[in-house]
Amino acid sequence: FPYSKYAVLAELRLADAEFGAEQYLEAVDSYKLFEKFHPTHGIVGNGYASLRIAEAYFKMLPGDLWILPPSYEKDQTSVEEAEQQLRSFLTRYKDSPFRKKAEELLARVGKRLADHEWYVARYYWDRGKWMGTVLRLRRLLDRHPGVGYDVDALWLLGRAYVKVELPERAREAWTELVTKHPTTGKAAEARDAIARLPAAAPPK
């Protein structure tokens, strides 16, 4: 019954069946085809298929088993794809009834990506790769603020800037730490570290 109104709905439910059977790659392809061939369908308009694509990517995220390396050490391709899809969803479907769920998923995905950035930054720091540490911490702070790493990242960023002989950048990082997180222990350490920095050059 290809011309029945239920034929289109059946296509969507086949995608849902693949999702339910944990065939996530197949489900992603099916949802994308549904969006492509039925762009005016009400279900496409409310963002359901788009969110399911993001959920499928999320389901494919590497897990944590004690016999394997932690997920933040693994390839993050599926995590980045989930983030991209969720951001696209939130941009395209401002009135969707699924926005709250998308925002919750995006927060969880952001935390996973932040875990990875912090891991890589520490990896570089422990091996004396100071500029690599700077670049990863800047990326962490720019892309994933507020997920639990701000204080430690700003503290370590200042130390890395000192290592690459950029004391004014270190001052900026530590001043931001003191200003935004004044009651933390790291803020006290940052104040002491700022006091030990060479005096700022007078403006020309």
Side-chain angles (χ1 to χ4, degrees), residues 25-203:
L25 284 174
E26 293 84 350
V28 166
D29 289 340
S30 296
Y31 287 125
K32 286 182 176 179
L33 286 173
F34 184 84
E35 288 188 312
K36 178 179 179 180
F37 289 114
H38 309 290
T40 61
H41 195 284
I43 287 177
V44 172
N46 70 15
Y48 174 82
S50 181
L51 181 60
R52 292 293 268 181
I53 292 170
E55 287 185 281
Y57 284 132
F58 184 80
K59 293 289 188 179
M60 290 189 284
L61 301 190
D64 286 317
L65 296 174
W66 68 271
I67 59 173
L68 298 174
S71 58
Y72 56 75
E73 296 184 17
K74 301 172 187 174
D75 179 71
Q76 300 296 304
T77 299
S78 60
V79 190
E80 291 169 351
E81 288 173 335
E83 182 189 42
Q84 182 179 6
Q85 182 68 25
L86 285 163
R87 291 193 183 282
S88 174
F89 171 89
L90 291 170
T91 300
R92 292 168 59 196
Y93 303 103
K94 298 187 182 300
D95 299 320
S96 171
F98 307 113
R99 280 188 68 83
K100 186 171 189 245
K101 185 172 186 178
E103 289 167 352
E104 291 171 353
L105 275 177
L106 183 59
R108 294 171 66 184
V109 168
K111 179 61 167 60
R112 291 286 291 267
L113 289 170
D115 290 344
H116 178 69
E117 295 295 344
W118 178 248
Y119 163 72
V120 175
R122 291 292 313 182
Y123 179 91
Y124 284 140
W125 174 261
D126 292 341
R127 286 155 183 77
K129 308 290 186 180
W130 316 126
M131 188 50 70
T133 304
V134 166
L135 293 175
R136 283 295 180 163
L137 290 173
R138 285 262 45 111
R139 181 177 164 121
L140 168 57
L141 290 164
D142 291 343
R143 295 190 180 185
H144 310 291
V147 299
Y149 288 106
D150 292 20
V151 171
D152 289 330
L154 285 167
W155 169 244
L156 187 58
L157 180 61
R159 296 177 67 193
Y161 274 135
V162 169
K163 292 289 188 180
V164 297
E165 300 181 354
L166 291 172
E168 287 311 305
R169 294 289 182 86
R171 190 189 310 277
E172 291 173 6
W174 287 333
T175 299
E176 182 178 349
L177 169 54
V178 170
T179 301
K180 293 184 177 179
H181 311 280
T183 61
T184 62
K186 284 290 190 293
E189 294 183 60
R191 292 187 190 95
D192 292 340
I194 291 171
R196 292 194 299 270
L197 288 173

